[in-house]
Amino acid sequence: MKRSSLGIFFLSLMLGACTKTIYLQDMIPEKPYDVSHHELRIRQGDQLSIFVNSKNPEMAAPFNIYSGVSYQVSGEGEVLTGQSGNTSIGQGGYHVDNHGMIDFPVLGLLKAEGLTSRELANEIKMRLIASKYIDDPIVMVELFNVKITVMGEVVKNGTVSLNEKGLNLLEALTLSGGLTGNADPKKVTVIRTEQGVRKMYETDIRTTEMFKSPCFALQQDDIIYVQPLSAKMTDGEERGWRYYTLATGLVGLIVSLMVLFK
């Protein structure tokens, strides 16, 4: 009995150093959990790629800008070309200005802020039809160069690209290599800009309550910060702790073998 108890004690001690965070500990198999779906909405400072097509490509040409070349339609319906001086057109796309507007060829200023890519594409399409420029426009709008920042107690600190369909908190943590051994899973925070101010949301990734958190569905420019369980150890302290853990494990193993074969 003593041998068994002693063996279990040292085995627990050795395994304690290898403990890992278990995500969603209270999740029950096959039980449905509601998750809010979030479609990215255009914000000030975003870069947009907008492409207009039609069965007749010449009709769509005035509404597309490539490499600084602009198209305009004269009063007689003639397509004119020239160098674009449009400041809302950044390299590779349209820049949403501080008023939430983009300056679109021919149509002029369009409100983009607050709309999804799909909604802006539909707005452009309706305007093209209403103005009788194109009868059958196909409009594609995409957000690009959208990123979030992941920092703190994750394996890889840095930026993660946010695709058009969005990204959730668990996906972002996975892309960053997961949590370190010093991470506090109860204090995973997301810092977000809303209406010109910064807000911080905190969630516990060990529970299904995370699905209800405003920070589960990520938005552009979010900052994910995983707080530590304790103050970060110095290199010397971390090296000493590794040696201590290794020595403790070896001593435990030797004592267990001595007790078992005595």
Side-chain angles (χ1 to χ4, degrees):
M1 186 66 178
K2 290 183 179 179
R3 293 181 182 181
S4 177
S5 300
L6 192 59
I8 292 173
F9 169 75
F10 282 110
L11 181 61
S12 300
L13 186 64
M14 294 171 67
L15 291 177
C18 303
T19 301
K20 294 186 178 180
T21 300
I22 300 176
Y23 294 15
L24 303 171
Q25 297 177 14
D26 60 348
M27 195 168 188
I28 302 172
E30 300 185 12
K31 177 182 176 180
Y33 293 88
D34 292 330
V35 178
S36 58
H37 295 281
H38 175 76
E39 194 171 359
L40 294 183
R41 293 194 173 273
I42 299 168
R43 295 181 174 185
Q44 296 176 21
D46 283 347
Q47 291 289 119
L48 306 176
S49 169
I50 303 176
F51 180 71
V52 179
N53 202 357
S54 170
K55 291 181 180 178
N56 186 349
E58 292 183 358
M59 297 295 293
F63 307 97
N64 293 307
I65 294 181
Y66 306 99
S67 304
V69 178
S70 64
Y71 296 83
Q72 297 294 332
V73 181
S74 68
E76 294 76 25
E78 181 183 3
V79 177
L80 306 174
T81 62
Q83 293 298 314
S84 173
N86 192 336
T87 57
S88 78
I89 302 167
Q91 184 177 4
Y94 294 84
H95 176 76
V96 183
D97 66 20
N98 292 335
H99 301 289
M101 311 291 287
I102 60 170
D103 194 353
F104 196 73
V106 184
L107 297 181
L109 291 175
L110 297 176
K111 182 73 172 179
E113 184 181 14
L115 301 178
T116 65
S117 297
R118 176 176 46 82
E119 290 169 345
L120 179 57
N122 190 60
E123 174 68 17
I124 295 173
K125 179 179 178 180
M126 293 299 101
R127 291 201 183 198
L128 291 174
I129 294 174
S131 301
K132 298 184 179 179
Y133 288 129
I134 308 177
D135 293 331
D136 59 344
I138 299 173
V139 183
M140 292 174 285
V141 178
E142 291 184 1
L143 272 164
F144 67 95
N145 198 29
V146 181
K147 296 181 179 179
I148 58 174
T149 301
V150 186
M151 57 189 295
E153 293 300 324
V154 292
V155 175
K156 295 183 294 183
N157 278 245
T159 58
V160 175
S161 295
L162 196 62
N163 58 42
E164 190 74 17
K165 296 180 180 178
L167 200 69
N168 67 50
L169 184 57
L170 291 179
E171 292 170 332
L173 293 175
T174 300
L175 291 172
S176 298
L179 305 186
T180 68
N182 193 40
D184 188 346
K186 304 187 301 298
K187 295 183 178 180
V188 176
T189 60
V190 172
I191 303 170
R192 175 172 297 161
T193 300
E194 294 179 340
Q195 298 178 345
V197 297
R198 288 281 190 180
K199 288 185 179 180
M200 185 177 77
Y201 298 95
E202 187 175 277
T203 189
D204 184 348
I205 62 173
R206 301 172 308 167
T207 74
T208 54
E209 290 298 309
M210 174 180 56
F211 293 143
K212 302 176 184 178
S213 171
C215 62
F216 181 69
L218 299 172
Q219 300 179 20
Q220 55 266 57
D221 300 323
D222 277 354
I223 300 173
I224 300 172
Y225 174 60
V226 181
Q227 298 186 39
L229 280 169
S230 59
K232 192 72 174 178
M233 293 185 290
T234 65
D235 291 340
E237 290 173 334
E238 190 172 353
R239 188 163 51 249
W241 175 252
R242 286 201 301 267
Y243 290 152
Y244 171 78
T245 303
L246 179 62
T248 302
L250 289 174
V251 170
L253 180 60
I254 292 171
V255 172
S256 296
L257 291 173
M258 291 175 62
V259 171
L260 288 172
F261 293 102
K262 187 175 179 180

